[in-house]
Amino acid sequence: MMLILKKALSIVLAVIAGIFIIGSDLSSIMVQAADDPYVALSKATTKYNGVDYKNEYNPLYYYLNYQDLRDAYGTDAGKLIEHWVVFGKKEKRVANRLIGDSTEYVVPTGDTGVVIIPKAKHGNGGMTYDQEVIARSYAKQIADGINKAIEEVNASKSSSSSKKSSSSSSSSSSSKNTVKDIEKVAYAAGVINAYCAQGTYTTEGKIYRTAYGVFVGGEYSCAGATRALGLVLDYLGITWVHKNANTWNDQWCQVIVDGKEGYADAISASAGYGKHPNEGGNAKDAVTYAKIRSKFDMASQRARATD
């Protein structure tokens, strides 16, 4: 499990820790690995007073499992192992596996804390709890990068506009550079498409229908790509429905964007208002990743979606 976590972190940092640039006004956005609980605790000590508890104690799991410990000690590995030995074992706290209930997940944010996320109403394709935690960590960091990039460019444009006259040409330019929900959804679809391009299309095995397969397992299908995109949309605050879930038909996310019905398709790296082309929508009206990626110029080692 720890090897998977390490691999997951290294790949997601390669994708997200680069620079998101919208136009020429956006400053660099970096995800600092040193601030991530995965990095801080994945190799943390399991020894206390000369005794190694590695067979029954995992510092990362102990941290993720209990809110009171996160509040009291943060990622202080020494305090966590001390609490486990002195109090945790007597209190029958779980430190050798991740635990959860029927309503929420504890997910690393990529910064200094964690976020409690209600379990999605959508099916996860059969992911285990551990796989879901990892997949959501990927999705949240992707969405956070997109949202922060948009905040930065909007702030920059607002500052620039306040120094200019309120002429019609200035207003037109400002409007042109505003990022719409449909555009950030299309960009998210392109990011997932790029992950898929690094893997193998398959309809066999246990993870091809899951977001974990897309982000970590190197396997994907339209079902897995849709679920991976859906997790990112969750963190972007976009309402979505999994179309044709658990069928052999093409699958995509039906979304509500800019106050309208729309769709987002990771396989085609596109989004659009109205119905999906498979349901009679006009493919020519699609907002594709290729069309809008200049607004989200991601510098990373991962391949871009195919034009």
Side-chain angles (χ1 to χ4, degrees):
M1 180 62 192
M2 297 309 299
L3 290 176
I4 294 176
L5 290 174
K6 182 177 180 181
K7 178 182 177 183
L9 178 65
S10 64
I11 296 176
V12 78
L13 287 177
V15 177
I16 301 303
I19 304 172
F20 282 78
I21 304 175
I22 304 179
S24 60
D25 301 314
L26 182 60
S27 59
S28 300
I29 298 173
M30 302 297 292
V31 175
Q32 299 297 328
D35 294 333
D36 195 306
Y38 277 139
V39 174
L41 296 174
S42 291
K43 297 181 179 180
T45 183
T46 57
K47 295 181 179 180
Y48 183 75
N49 284 345
V51 179
D52 195 341
Y53 295 92
K54 65 181 180 180
N55 292 329
E56 53 185 328
Y57 172 81
N58 181 304
L60 177 60
Y61 293 170
Y62 199 47
Y63 169 85
L64 292 177
N65 282 343
Y66 298 103
Q67 179 68 53
D68 61 328
L69 300 183
R70 297 194 296 272
D71 292 342
Y73 307 125
T75 56
D76 188 324
K79 291 292 186 181
L80 288 171
I81 182 64
E82 179 181 19
H83 184 277
W84 159 248
V85 174
V86 178
F87 302 107
K89 294 181 69 174
K90 296 178 182 178
E91 296 170 359
K92 299 188 182 300
R93 297 206 186 207
V94 178
N96 63 348
R97 60 183 173 84
L98 287 173
I99 60 175
D101 56 32
S102 61
T103 61
E104 63 185 27
Y105 291 105
V106 180
V107 184
T109 64
D111 295 316
T112 58
V114 295
V115 61
I116 307 299
I117 302 297
K119 286 188 177 179
K121 297 179 181 179
H122 312 91
N124 70 6
M127 285 189 292
T128 65
Y129 182 83
D130 289 6
Q131 290 171 345
E132 178 108 20
V133 168
I134 294 171
R136 284 186 173 274
S137 180
Y138 272 79
K140 186 175 190 303
Q141 291 185 67
I142 292 171
D144 282 353
I146 293 173
N147 279 330
K148 189 169 184 179
I150 293 171
E151 290 174 3
E152 291 285 343
V153 76
N154 286 343
S156 176
K157 291 298 179 183
S158 176
S159 176
S160 177
S161 296
S162 66
K163 297 178 181 179
K164 298 179 181 179
S165 64
S166 56
S167 64
S168 59
S169 60
S170 176
S171 297
S172 175
S173 175
S174 177
S175 175
K176 184 177 180 180
N177 284 283
T178 299
V179 179
K180 299 178 180 179
D181 281 349
I182 193 67
E183 292 175 321
K184 67 180 181 181
V185 168
Y187 187 81
V191 173
I192 301 304
N193 182 281
Y195 271 97
C196 292
Q198 299 300 305
T200 301
Y201 179 85
T202 182
T203 56
E204 298 180 353
K206 296 182 178 180
I207 62 174
Y208 75 90
R209 300 185 304 158
T210 70
Y212 180 83
V214 172
F215 290 132
V216 180
E219 299 180 7
Y220 77 95
S221 64
C222 61
T226 298
R227 291 186 171 104
L229 177 56
L231 289 186
V232 177
L233 297 183
D234 282 342
Y235 289 105
L236 287 175
I238 302 295
T239 300
W240 68 283
V241 174
H242 190 153
K243 295 292 290 185
N244 299 327
N246 303 317
T247 72
W248 291 107
N249 298 320
D250 290 341
Q251 299 176 35
W252 63 87
C253 298
Q254 180 184 30
V255 298
I256 299 176
V257 284
D258 303 311
K260 304 175 183 179
E261 178 191 12
Y263 66 89
D265 190 332
I267 296 299
S268 63
S270 65
Y273 297 121
K275 299 294 184 183
H276 188 279
N278 284 14
E279 294 183 316
N282 191 342
K284 294 182 179 180
D285 295 333
V287 179
T288 65
Y289 173 79
K291 290 179 180 178
I292 54 87
R293 70 183 184 187
S294 61
K295 285 191 174 184
F296 299 84
D297 189 9
M298 181 188 295
S300 77
Q301 299 177 7
R302 295 299 296 267
R304 294 184 183 278
T306 303
D307 289 353

